[in-house]
Amino acid sequence: MILSHPRFAVVGHPNKGKSSIVSALAMDDSVQVSNTPGTTTKRRSFPLSVDGKILYELYDTPGFQRARRVLAWLQKHEVRADKKHEVVRAFIAEHKSDVRFNDEIELLEPIMDGAGIIYVVDGSKPYGAEYEAEMEILRWTGQPSMALINHIDSSDYSQEWKMALGQYFKMVRTFNPMRATFVHHIGILESMSQLKEEWIDDVKESIILFEQYQTQMIERSASLLARLLYDSISMVDKLSIDKDEASKEDKEKIEGKYKDKLRGFEIDTQKRMKSIWKHQHLAIEQDILPFNGLDLFSKESASVFGLTRKELMLMGMTSGAMTGATIDLLFIGHTFFIGGAIGAVVGATGGYFGFDELSDIKILGQNLGKKYLEIGPMKNKNFPYILLGRALYHTSQIANRSHASRDKIDIDRHLDLESVFRDKWLTDDLKNSLEKYHKKFRTSDEVEAEILKEYDLMIKDILRGLINDR
Amino acid sequence: MNINSYIDLYQVLEDNPTTIEDNRAFGLKHKSLRGKPQKQLLAWADKYKSKLQKPLISLSFSSYLYGITITLVILAFIFGLFSGMGLLSYDGKEPVNIIYFIAMVVFLPIFTMTLTALSMFRINQTKSILMHISPAFWMEKILGWLPSSIKDDIKEFKINPLLTNWIIIKRSQLVALSFSFGLFVALLGVVVTQDIAFAWSTTIDITPETFHQFLYFISAPWRYLFPSFVPSIELIEHSQYFRLGDRLSPNIISHASSLGEWWRFLAFATLFYAIVLRLLVLVVSHLGLRYAVSTSILKLIGTNRLLREINQPIINTNSTQQEALFVPTHDGYEQTIEKFKEYDYDMIQGLGMRYDELLVISDSIGLSSPKHAIVGGSNSLDEDDKVIDDSSGDILLFVKAWEPPMMDFVDYLADLSINDNVKKVIIMPIGTLEDDYKTTDTYIDIWANKLSLSEDGKVWLKR
Ligand SMILES: Nc1nc2c(ncn2[C@@H]2O[C@H](COP(=O)(O)OP(=O)(O)O)[C@@H](O)[C@H]2O)c(=O)[nH]1
Ligand SMILES: [Mg+2]
């Protein structure tokens, strides 16, 4: 069966990073990468598809296990050079159900079906003669091929590898799946397109798609973050109360509920972010959103991401923190009948510093007799910056992460090193433009999709700057 | 496109029942809607609204809206009817002054329609005074104080100011129209059931000529079609009425029968100014509301994302197959030796290395042996077999620790072990030359695991 789209089989010795390379190229972190050789036992296909139409396909395969035995069989059937691939086919046909050659058959089959060969070696270990049988078998298949030198460790034997590989492959490239950036990724795709003339167009199209894909992911991340900020700042929560007066417990209860909801928004966003960047399996740890320390005098993570007191004052953001609630009795919101608000602010959460305050808590009366406490929208002027900073940091960690990597990220452990992170994205101009939107979010009935879209675009620009050369 | 479709879309967006794949599939299926975002959104909402929890907000909202509107319309009609009857009440002594009625059916409508037009221009304002002086707005607020007159779901439902304002405007037109009908019906009713003497009277010094000109102007819309429905100058002269003293002008008395002719003029004025014009404004406000719905649709939060998902191709790079899970079961190998024995080995073999390399390695580790041989690597299987035939006694086999142990090695080991002359095989993983042939436990563990797959009494691992 000859399929029309280009296909590539990633093959080689066991444990040299085949699965890691496929993981990185396919941006799929579900691939089992393991330092136990022989983890991959079945080949697995990784198609690049647009709306279901496959543009090219990548195969992760098990490594060679009995290369010398296979080669011996082939050589016993020595024929003219132009018939060699038929001998390989005959080998497959004869050993289809021979468990001894399971791995070889898994990797040879796609090649004999027309897949190009990507032979992976580890350039941080010396070259050895045992590789020759593998490369010889690949030569017998007659399929176009290239070699990729991966570096699992720091030592470098790539010179001797290049010499040896040069004997068998027209093209030898270096690719590190752990550190590969988008540019490297595209570079490898370009090399792959060179393998066969008919593939150039398809692979070129794939490259364009990869670029689109990247943009899509950034766009989706930006909307997600814009929505997080909007939802968190504008969120209003209610609690029914039986009496006319709200007790201390009532106030604590609604405040606790409010904070939990805000934290919930953040956690949910983080989960979605992982799925946008196809890092569902990534373990990433971050302390929950802090609410104390919003005054920024503490050394908590809030202080790393938020604005300083001086900055807040410069922007005139400290005033108004204590103005209390001015409830527009009649025109409150544009809900038909939110009900008249009666009563006043019963307390602001947090201390009395302008920074510390989260939101007013109001007593509202609804219809006859029914009363409830209302909290929100977020009044703390620093909160948006802390939330956005944390989210941007989290996003950049995920987005810049190789899909081949299986370590977990511990954000709070690196935080000290990242105290400059804020300066990477938050300029004075940006502060002013962001503030305009945060202000709108605080008075939520004015926000419409277009406003959110503008905010979204600003975040998109920030993200572009934070995501490695993409 | 009506307010219900807007609310449905809002609710489905909140409910968010679809995946990216669903949305893209929807986009691909409805190719004809491409480039028409509003249509796409509405069709999408239509498709998924069946999945929403009943009752739909749109239904409660429209039934609520309908209920309020009907109430207001009925009240307005009754109010109009009574106002009309009040204005036209004739006690048989004093004639009815038509000035009041004209004010009610001509000036009041023109004034309120002007206000309406103004508020249409300022429609985007959240807090527009013009809106807030509308009774339609206030009724809402007043009813809101009554217990449970509305359901909770619509209480919380935020609707954008543009739409609210258009809803209020449109409803105001309905109410006003109904009021005008009340007036009209009152006029007809009074005319049919009573014989009324109409007259006009004003404190301001207006001559019948001026008044005629004025009425002539007012009746412009119909005077060509129905010239007789414009009060003639004679009629106007005859029906002027002075409140001086308690007596009627002889003029009025002598022309009493023609005074009733006024009603046709009044009926047409009502019909045109209070009803037809109002109908026009109603149509405009209806169109305005439709337009507002169609622009508001794009202002709903969540539509940007949805449209993107509908229109952007889905790019996927992930595998569609499940990974065949490999669970390593072995761990460790029992037969290990920590130290070399005192004696030399009967044979030293090197897997996958060069002969000279092998000699250097055994030399640098301080071992000697009568026989050295290389196996695996670039050897052919026949060459390996020869080495096996040649093997006997205790054998030390060097392997490159960093290379994964492969089945090729397992095969060789099995063949070697079958040879009865071979008493013991000691596998020794070594590091690279750069590391002085020292290696790490991680690598040795990998070899140990491989050896544990085929426990063999003759095979030992040097740790
Ligand atoms: N540090 C580092 N480790 C790598 C790299 N490539 C692969 N590895 C590790 O090498 C081991 C084997 O990788 P894997 O992709 O499973 O190899 P495969 O058997 O050829 O599929 C895993 O533990 C990987 O984490 C690399 O570029 N850098
Ligand atoms: Mg693998």
Side-chain angles (χ1 to χ4, degrees), chain A residues 13 16 26-28 32 39 44-45 47-49 51 64-66 68 125 130-131 157 216 219-220 223 330 334 336-337 366-367 448-450, chain B residues 20 24 64 126 140-141 144 150 155 164 299 308 312-314 316-319 321 323 325-326 379 384 400 403-404 406-408 411 434 443:
Chain A
H13 227 59
K16 298 299 176 189
M27 305 190 195
D28 186 336
Q32 264 198 59
T39 320
R44 199 165 164 225
S45 140
L48 167 70
S49 66
D51 287 338
F64 283 100
Q65 288 290 349
R66 292 185 164 97
R68 287 194 305 153
K125 294 284 153 21
E130 61 268 50
Y131 290 86
Y157 294 89
Q216 279 188 9
E219 274 173 11
R220 289 168 58 197
S223 321
L330 298 163
H334 248 277
F336 273 93
F337 302 116
Q366 173 87 44
N367 301 334
E448 288 165 351
E450 291 135 60
Chain B
I20 294 189
R24 180 56 183 161
Y64 151 75
T126 322
E140 210 90 75
K141 291 291 168 191
I150 26 161
K155 235 184 275 175
T164 320
K299 290 182 176 172
R308 201 169 54 219
Q312 264 186 359
I314 289 195
N316 188 38
T317 56
N318 286 191
S319 181
Q321 300 158 321
E323 171 101 66
L325 203 64
F326 171 82
N379 269 13
D384 277 4
K400 295 189 271 193
E403 290 295 358
M406 303 209 283
M407 292 315 289
D408 191 60
D411 289 351
E434 283 74 9
Y443 284 131

Coordinates of all heavy atoms in Angstrom, one line a residue, chain A residues 13 16 26-28 32 39 44-45 47-49 51 64-66 68 125 130-131 157 216 219-220 223 330 334 336-337 366-367 448-450, chain B residues 20 24 64 126 140-141 144 150 155 164 299 308 312-314 316-319 321 323 325-326 379 384 400 403-404 406-408 411 434 443:
Chain A
H13 N 19.2 2.4 17.4 CA 19.5 1.6 18.5 C 18.5 1.9 19.6 O 17.9 3.0 19.7 CB 20.9 2.0 19.0 CG 21.8 0.9 19.3 ND1 22.2 0.0 18.3 CD2 22.5 0.6 20.4 CE1 23.0 -0.8 18.8 NE2 23.3 -0.5 20.1
K16 N 18.3 5.6 22.5 CA 19.1 6.7 22.1 C 18.3 7.9 21.8 O 18.8 8.9 21.3 CB 19.8 6.3 20.8 CG 20.8 5.1 20.9 CD 21.9 5.4 21.9 CE 22.7 4.2 22.2 NZ 23.7 4.5 23.3
A26 N 6.4 15.8 17.5 CA 4.9 15.7 17.4 C 4.3 16.5 18.6 O 3.1 16.5 18.7 CB 4.5 14.3 17.5
M27 N 5.1 17.2 19.4 CA 4.5 17.9 20.5 C 3.5 17.0 21.3 O 2.5 17.5 21.7 CB 3.8 19.2 20.1 CG 4.7 20.0 19.3 SD 3.8 21.6 19.1 CE 4.7 22.3 17.7
D28 N 3.9 15.8 21.6 CA 3.0 14.9 22.3 C 3.8 14.4 23.5 O 4.8 13.7 23.3 CB 2.7 13.8 21.3 CG 1.6 12.9 21.9 OD1 1.5 12.8 23.1 OD2 0.9 12.2 21.1
Q32 N 6.0 7.3 25.7 CA 6.8 6.8 26.8 C 8.3 7.0 26.5 O 8.8 6.4 25.6 CB 6.5 5.3 27.0 CG 5.5 5.0 28.1 CD 5.6 3.5 28.5 OE1 6.7 3.1 28.9 NE2 4.5 2.8 28.3
T39 N 11.5 0.1 25.9 CA 10.2 0.5 26.4 C 9.2 0.6 25.2 O 8.0 0.3 25.4 CB 10.3 2.0 27.0 OG1 11.5 2.0 27.7 CG2 9.2 2.2 27.9
R44 N 4.4 3.5 16.6 CA 3.2 4.3 16.9 C 3.3 5.4 15.9 O 4.3 6.0 15.7 CB 3.3 4.8 18.3 CG 2.0 5.3 18.8 CD 2.1 5.4 20.3 NE 1.0 6.2 20.9 CZ 1.2 7.1 21.8 NH1 2.4 7.4 22.3 NH2 0.2 7.8 22.2
S45 N 2.1 5.8 15.3 CA 2.1 6.8 14.3 C 1.7 8.2 14.9 O 0.8 8.2 15.7 CB 1.1 6.4 13.2 OG 0.4 7.5 12.8
P47 N 0.5 11.5 13.2 CA 0.2 12.2 12.0 C 0.1 13.7 12.3 O -0.3 14.1 13.4 CB -1.1 11.7 11.6 CG -1.7 11.0 12.8 CD -0.6 10.8 13.8
L48 N 0.6 14.5 11.4 CA 0.2 16.0 11.5 C -1.0 16.1 10.6 O -0.9 15.9 9.4 CB 1.4 16.8 10.9 CG 1.0 18.3 10.7 CD1 0.8 19.0 12.0 CD2 2.1 19.0 9.9
S49 N -2.1 16.6 11.2 CA -3.3 16.7 10.4 C -3.9 18.0 10.5 O -3.8 18.7 11.5 CB -4.3 15.6 10.8 OG -4.7 15.8 12.1
D51 N -7.7 19.6 10.1 CA -9.0 19.2 9.9 C -9.1 17.7 9.5 O -9.9 17.3 8.6 CB -9.8 20.0 8.9 CG -10.0 21.4 9.5 OD1 -10.1 21.5 10.7 OD2 -10.2 22.4 8.7
F64 N 16.4 -1.6 17.1 CA 17.0 -2.9 16.6 C 17.3 -3.7 17.8 O 17.9 -3.2 18.8 CB 18.2 -2.7 15.8 CG 17.9 -2.2 14.4 CD1 18.1 -0.8 14.1 CD2 17.5 -3.0 13.4 CE1 17.8 -0.3 12.8 CE2 17.3 -2.6 12.1 CZ 17.4 -1.2 11.8
Q65 N 17.1 -5.1 17.7 CA 17.5 -6.0 18.8 C 18.4 -7.1 18.2 O 19.3 -7.5 18.9 CB 16.3 -6.6 19.4 CG 15.4 -5.7 20.3 CD 16.2 -5.3 21.6 OE1 17.2 -5.9 22.0 NE2 15.6 -4.3 22.3
R66 N 18.1 -7.5 17.0 CA 18.9 -8.6 16.5 C 19.4 -8.2 15.1 O 19.2 -9.0 14.1 CB 18.1 -9.9 16.4 CG 17.8 -10.5 17.8 CD 17.1 -11.8 17.8 NE 17.1 -12.5 19.0 CZ 16.1 -12.4 19.9 NH1 15.0 -11.7 19.7 NH2 16.2 -13.1 21.1
R68 N 22.3 -8.1 13.6 CA 23.2 -9.0 12.9 C 22.6 -10.2 12.3 O 22.9 -10.7 11.2 CB 24.3 -9.4 13.9 CG 25.3 -8.3 14.2 CD 26.5 -8.8 14.9 NE 26.2 -9.6 16.0 CZ 27.0 -10.6 16.5 NH1 28.1 -10.9 15.9 NH2 26.6 -11.2 17.6
K125 N 27.9 9.5 23.3 CA 28.6 8.2 23.6 C 29.4 7.8 22.3 O 29.1 8.2 21.2 CB 27.5 7.1 23.8 CG 26.7 7.4 25.1 CD 27.5 7.0 26.3 CE 27.2 7.8 27.6 NZ 25.9 8.4 27.7
E130 N 28.9 -2.1 16.5 CA 27.6 -2.7 16.4 C 26.6 -2.0 15.7 O 25.5 -2.5 15.4 CB 27.2 -3.1 17.9 CG 27.0 -1.9 18.8 CD 28.3 -1.6 19.6 OE1 29.3 -1.5 18.9 OE2 28.2 -1.4 20.8
Y131 N 26.9 -0.7 15.4 CA 25.9 0.1 14.6 C 25.9 -0.3 13.1 O 24.9 0.0 12.4 CB 26.1 1.6 14.8 CG 25.8 2.0 16.2 CD1 26.8 1.9 17.2 CD2 24.6 2.6 16.5 CE1 26.5 2.3 18.5 CE2 24.3 3.0 17.8 CZ 25.2 2.9 18.8 OH 24.9 3.2 20.1
Y157 N 31.0 13.1 21.2 CA 31.7 12.2 20.2 C 31.2 12.4 18.8 O 31.3 11.6 18.0 CB 31.5 10.7 20.6 CG 32.2 10.4 21.9 CD1 31.5 10.5 23.1 CD2 33.5 9.9 22.0 CE1 32.0 10.1 24.3 CE2 34.1 9.5 23.2 CZ 33.3 9.7 24.4 OH 33.9 9.3 25.6
Q216 N -1.8 29.7 16.8 CA -3.0 29.3 17.5 C -2.9 29.1 18.9 O -3.7 29.5 19.7 CB -3.5 28.0 16.9 CG -4.3 28.1 15.5 CD -4.9 26.8 15.1 OE1 -4.9 25.8 15.9 NE2 -5.4 26.7 13.9
E219 N -2.6 32.3 20.6 CA -3.9 33.0 20.7 C -4.8 32.4 21.7 O -5.4 33.1 22.5 CB -4.6 32.9 19.3 CG -4.2 33.9 18.3 CD -4.7 33.7 17.0 OE1 -5.6 32.8 16.8 OE2 -4.3 34.4 16.0
R220 N -4.8 31.1 21.7 CA -5.7 30.4 22.7 C -5.2 30.7 24.1 O -6.1 30.9 25.0 CB -5.8 28.9 22.4 CG -6.6 28.7 21.1 CD -6.4 27.2 20.6 NE -6.9 26.3 21.7 CZ -6.5 25.0 21.6 NH1 -5.8 24.5 20.7 NH2 -7.0 24.2 22.6
S223 N -6.3 34.3 25.0 CA -7.8 34.4 25.4 C -8.0 33.8 26.7 O -8.8 34.3 27.5 CB -8.7 33.7 24.4 OG -8.3 33.8 23.1
L330 N -30.5 52.5 42.0 CA -31.4 52.1 41.0 C -30.9 51.5 39.7 O -31.4 50.7 39.1 CB -32.3 53.3 40.6 CG -33.0 53.8 41.8 CD1 -33.5 55.2 41.6 CD2 -34.2 52.9 42.1
H334 N -27.0 45.9 34.7 CA -28.1 45.9 33.7 C -28.9 44.7 33.7 O -29.5 44.3 32.7 CB -27.5 46.2 32.3 CG -27.9 47.5 31.8 ND1 -29.1 47.8 31.2 CD2 -27.3 48.7 31.9 CE1 -29.2 49.1 31.0 NE2 -28.1 49.7 31.4
F336 N -32.2 43.0 34.6 CA -33.5 43.4 34.9 C -33.7 43.0 36.3 O -33.5 41.9 36.7 CB -34.5 42.7 34.0 CG -34.7 43.4 32.7 CD1 -33.9 43.0 31.6 CD2 -35.6 44.4 32.6 CE1 -34.1 43.6 30.4 CE2 -35.8 45.0 31.4 CZ -35.0 44.7 30.3
F337 N -33.9 43.9 37.2 CA -34.2 43.5 38.6 C -33.1 42.9 39.4 O -33.3 41.8 39.8 CB -35.3 42.5 38.8 CG -36.5 42.9 38.2 CD1 -37.0 42.2 37.1 CD2 -37.1 43.9 38.7 CE1 -38.1 42.5 36.6 CE2 -38.3 44.3 38.1 CZ -38.8 43.6 37.1
Q366 N -33.2 42.0 48.7 CA -33.8 41.5 47.4 C -35.2 41.3 47.7 O -35.6 40.7 48.7 CB -33.1 40.2 47.0 CG -33.8 39.5 45.9 CD -33.2 40.0 44.6 OE1 -32.0 40.1 44.5 NE2 -34.0 40.3 43.6
N367 N -36.1 41.9 46.9 CA -37.5 41.7 47.1 C -37.9 42.1 48.5 O -37.4 43.0 49.1 CB -37.9 40.3 46.7 CG -37.6 40.0 45.3 OD1 -37.5 40.9 44.5 ND2 -37.3 38.7 45.0
E448 N -17.5 44.1 27.1 CA -18.1 43.4 26.1 C -17.0 42.6 25.4 O -15.8 42.9 25.6 CB -18.8 44.3 25.1 CG -20.1 44.8 25.7 CD -20.6 46.0 24.9 OE1 -19.9 46.5 24.0 OE2 -21.7 46.4 25.2
A449 N -17.4 41.7 24.5 CA -16.4 40.9 23.8 C -15.3 41.7 23.2 O -14.1 41.3 23.2 CB -17.1 40.0 22.8
E450 N -15.6 42.9 22.6 CA -14.6 43.6 21.9 C -13.5 44.1 22.9 O -12.3 44.1 22.5 CB -15.2 44.9 21.2 CG -16.1 44.5 20.1 CD -17.4 45.3 20.1 OE1 -17.3 46.5 20.1 OE2 -18.4 44.7 20.2
Chain B
I20 N -13.5 21.8 21.1 CA -13.0 22.4 19.9 C -13.3 21.6 18.7 O -13.7 22.2 17.6 CB -11.4 22.5 20.0 CG1 -11.1 23.5 21.2 CG2 -10.8 23.0 18.7 CD1 -9.6 23.8 21.2
R24 N -15.3 22.9 15.4 CA -14.7 23.0 14.0 C -15.5 22.1 13.1 O -15.7 22.5 11.9 CB -13.2 22.4 14.1 CG -12.6 22.4 12.8 CD -12.5 23.7 12.1 NE -11.9 23.7 10.8 CZ -12.1 24.6 9.8 NH1 -12.9 25.7 10.1 NH2 -11.5 24.5 8.7
Y64 N -41.8 36.6 30.6 CA -41.8 37.7 31.5 C -42.0 39.0 30.8 O -42.8 39.8 31.2 CB -40.5 37.7 32.3 CG -40.1 39.1 32.8 CD1 -40.7 39.7 33.9 CD2 -39.1 39.8 32.1 CE1 -40.4 40.9 34.3 CE2 -38.7 41.0 32.5 CZ -39.4 41.6 33.6 OH -39.0 42.9 34.0
T126 N -25.1 53.4 28.8 CA -25.6 52.5 29.9 C -26.7 53.3 30.7 O -27.7 52.7 31.0 CB -24.5 52.2 30.9 OG1 -23.3 52.0 30.1 CG2 -24.9 51.0 31.6
E140 N -40.6 48.4 35.4 CA -39.7 47.3 35.6 C -39.1 47.3 37.1 O -39.2 46.3 37.8 CB -38.5 47.5 34.7 CG -37.8 46.2 34.3 CD -38.4 45.7 33.0 OE1 -38.2 46.3 32.0 OE2 -39.2 44.8 33.1
K141 N -38.7 48.5 37.4 CA -38.1 48.7 38.7 C -39.1 48.5 39.8 O -38.8 47.8 40.9 CB -37.4 50.0 38.9 CG -36.2 50.2 38.0 CD -35.1 49.4 38.5 CE -34.0 49.4 37.4 NZ -32.9 48.4 37.7
G144 N -40.0 45.0 40.4 CA -38.9 44.3 41.0 C -39.0 44.2 42.5 O -38.5 43.3 43.1
I150 N -40.6 37.4 39.5 CA -39.8 36.9 38.4 C -38.9 35.8 38.9 O -38.6 35.6 40.0 CB -38.8 38.0 37.8 CG1 -38.5 39.0 38.9 CG2 -39.4 38.6 36.6 CD1 -37.3 39.7 38.6
K155 N -33.3 37.0 36.8 CA -32.9 38.1 37.7 C -31.4 38.3 37.5 O -30.9 39.5 37.5 CB -33.1 37.7 39.1 CG -34.0 38.7 39.9 CD -34.2 38.2 41.3 CE -35.3 37.2 41.4 NZ -35.4 36.7 42.8
T164 N -31.0 46.4 26.1 CA -32.0 46.9 27.1 C -32.7 48.2 26.6 O -33.9 48.3 26.7 CB -31.3 47.2 28.4 OG1 -30.3 46.2 28.7 CG2 -32.3 47.2 29.6
K299 N -21.0 40.8 20.8 CA -20.5 41.4 22.0 C -20.5 40.5 23.2 O -20.0 40.7 24.2 CB -21.2 42.7 22.4 CG -21.0 43.8 21.4 CD -21.7 45.1 21.8 CE -21.3 46.2 20.8 NZ -22.0 47.4 21.0
R308 N -13.4 31.6 16.6 CA -12.1 31.1 16.3 C -12.1 29.6 16.1 O -11.6 29.0 15.2 CB -11.1 31.5 17.3 CG -9.7 31.5 16.9 CD -8.8 32.2 17.8 NE -8.9 31.6 19.2 CZ -8.9 32.4 20.3 NH1 -8.7 33.6 20.2 NH2 -9.0 31.8 21.4
Q312 N -11.2 28.3 12.6 CA -9.7 27.9 12.4 C -9.6 26.4 12.2 O -10.2 25.6 12.9 CB -9.0 28.3 13.7 CG -8.3 29.6 13.6 CD -7.4 29.8 14.8 OE1 -7.4 29.0 15.8 NE2 -6.8 31.0 14.9
P313 N -8.8 26.0 11.2 CA -8.6 24.6 11.1 C -8.0 24.0 12.3 O -7.2 24.6 13.0 CB -7.6 24.5 9.9 CG -7.0 25.9 9.8 CD -8.0 26.8 10.3
I314 N -8.3 22.8 12.6 CA -7.7 22.1 13.7 C -6.5 21.4 13.3 O -6.5 20.6 12.3 CB -8.7 21.0 14.3 CG1 -9.8 21.7 15.0 CG2 -7.9 20.1 15.3 CD1 -10.6 20.8 15.9
N316 N -3.5 19.0 14.3 CA -3.2 18.0 15.3 C -1.9 17.3 15.0 O -1.6 17.0 13.9 CB -4.3 17.0 15.5 CG -4.1 16.2 16.7 OD1 -3.6 16.6 17.7 ND2 -4.4 14.9 16.5
T317 N -1.1 17.2 16.0 CA 0.2 16.5 15.8 C 0.3 15.2 16.6 O 1.3 14.5 16.5 CB 1.4 17.4 16.2 OG1 1.2 17.8 17.5 CG2 1.4 18.6 15.3
N318 N -0.7 15.0 17.4 CA -0.6 13.9 18.4 C -0.9 12.6 17.8 O -1.6 12.5 16.8 CB -1.5 14.2 19.6 CG -0.9 15.3 20.5 OD1 -1.3 15.5 21.6 ND2 0.1 16.0 20.0
S319 N -0.5 11.6 18.5 CA -0.8 10.3 18.0 C -2.2 9.9 18.3 O -2.8 10.4 19.2 CB 0.1 9.2 18.8 OG -0.2 8.0 18.3
Q321 N -3.1 6.8 18.3 CA -3.1 5.4 18.8 C -2.6 5.5 20.3 O -1.8 6.4 20.7 CB -2.1 4.6 18.1 CG -2.4 4.4 16.6 CD -1.2 4.0 15.8 OE1 -0.1 4.5 16.1 NE2 -1.4 3.1 14.9
E323 N -0.5 4.3 23.4 CA 0.8 3.7 23.5 C 0.7 2.3 24.0 O -0.1 2.0 25.0 CB 1.6 4.5 24.5 CG 2.9 3.9 24.9 CD 4.1 4.5 24.2 OE1 4.4 5.7 24.4 OE2 4.7 3.8 23.4
L325 N 1.6 -0.2 26.4 CA 2.3 0.0 27.6 C 3.3 -1.1 27.9 O 3.0 -2.3 27.9 CB 1.3 0.1 28.7 CG 1.7 0.9 29.9 CD1 2.0 2.3 29.6 CD2 0.7 0.8 31.1
F326 N 4.5 -0.7 28.2 CA 5.5 -1.6 28.6 C 5.8 -1.5 30.1 O 6.1 -0.5 30.6 CB 6.8 -1.4 27.8 CG 8.0 -2.2 28.3 CD1 8.2 -3.5 27.8 CD2 8.9 -1.6 29.1 CE1 9.2 -4.2 28.3 CE2 10.0 -2.4 29.6 CZ 10.2 -3.7 29.1
N379 N 31.6 -8.4 14.2 CA 31.7 -9.8 13.9 C 30.5 -10.4 13.2 O 29.4 -9.9 13.4 CB 31.8 -10.6 15.2 CG 33.2 -10.8 15.7 OD1 34.1 -10.1 15.2 ND2 33.5 -11.7 16.7
D384 N 31.4 -15.3 15.7 CA 31.0 -15.5 17.1 C 31.0 -17.0 17.5 O 31.4 -17.4 18.6 CB 29.6 -14.9 17.4 CG 29.7 -13.4 17.6 OD1 30.8 -12.9 17.5 OD2 28.7 -12.8 17.9
K400 N 30.1 -2.8 26.9 CA 30.1 -1.3 27.0 C 28.8 -1.0 27.8 O 27.7 -1.1 27.4 CB 30.1 -0.7 25.7 CG 31.4 -0.9 24.9 CD 31.5 -0.1 23.6 CE 30.8 -0.8 22.5 NZ 31.2 -0.2 21.1
E403 N 26.0 1.2 26.4 CA 25.1 0.6 25.3 C 24.1 -0.3 25.9 O 24.4 -1.0 26.8 CB 25.9 -0.2 24.3 CG 26.9 0.6 23.4 CD 26.2 1.6 22.5 OE1 24.9 1.6 22.5 OE2 26.9 2.4 21.8
P404 N 22.8 -0.1 25.5 CA 21.8 -1.0 26.1 C 22.0 -2.4 25.7 O 22.4 -2.7 24.6 CB 20.5 -0.4 25.4 CG 21.0 0.2 24.2 CD 22.3 0.7 24.4
M406 N 21.2 -5.8 24.3 CA 20.2 -6.1 23.3 C 20.0 -7.6 23.2 O 20.7 -8.4 23.8 CB 20.6 -5.5 21.9 CG 20.8 -4.0 22.0 SD 20.5 -3.2 20.5 CE 21.9 -3.6 19.6
M407 N 19.0 -8.0 22.5 CA 18.7 -9.4 22.3 C 19.8 -10.1 21.6 O 20.1 -11.3 21.9 CB 17.4 -9.6 21.6 CG 16.1 -9.2 22.3 SD 16.1 -9.7 24.0 CE 15.8 -11.5 23.9
D408 N 20.6 -9.4 20.8 CA 21.7 -9.9 20.2 C 22.7 -10.5 21.2 O 23.3 -11.6 21.1 CB 22.4 -8.8 19.3 CG 23.4 -9.3 18.4 OD1 23.1 -10.1 17.5 OD2 24.6 -8.9 18.6
D411 N 21.2 -13.6 23.0 CA 21.4 -14.8 22.1 C 22.9 -15.3 22.3 O 23.1 -16.5 22.5 CB 21.2 -14.4 20.7 CG 19.8 -14.1 20.3 OD1 18.9 -14.3 21.2 OD2 19.5 -13.6 19.2
E434 N 37.5 7.7 28.5 CA 37.6 9.0 29.2 C 37.3 8.9 30.7 O 37.7 9.6 31.5 CB 36.6 10.0 28.6 CG 37.1 10.7 27.3 CD 37.0 9.7 26.1 OE1 36.4 8.6 26.3 OE2 37.5 10.0 25.0
Y443 N 23.8 2.4 34.9 CA 24.0 1.5 33.7 C 24.1 0.0 34.1 O 23.5 -0.8 33.4 CB 25.3 1.9 33.0 CG 25.2 3.2 32.2 CD1 26.2 4.2 32.3 CD2 24.2 3.3 31.3 CE1 26.1 5.3 31.6 CE2 24.1 4.5 30.6 CZ 25.0 5.5 30.7 OH 24.9 6.6 30.0

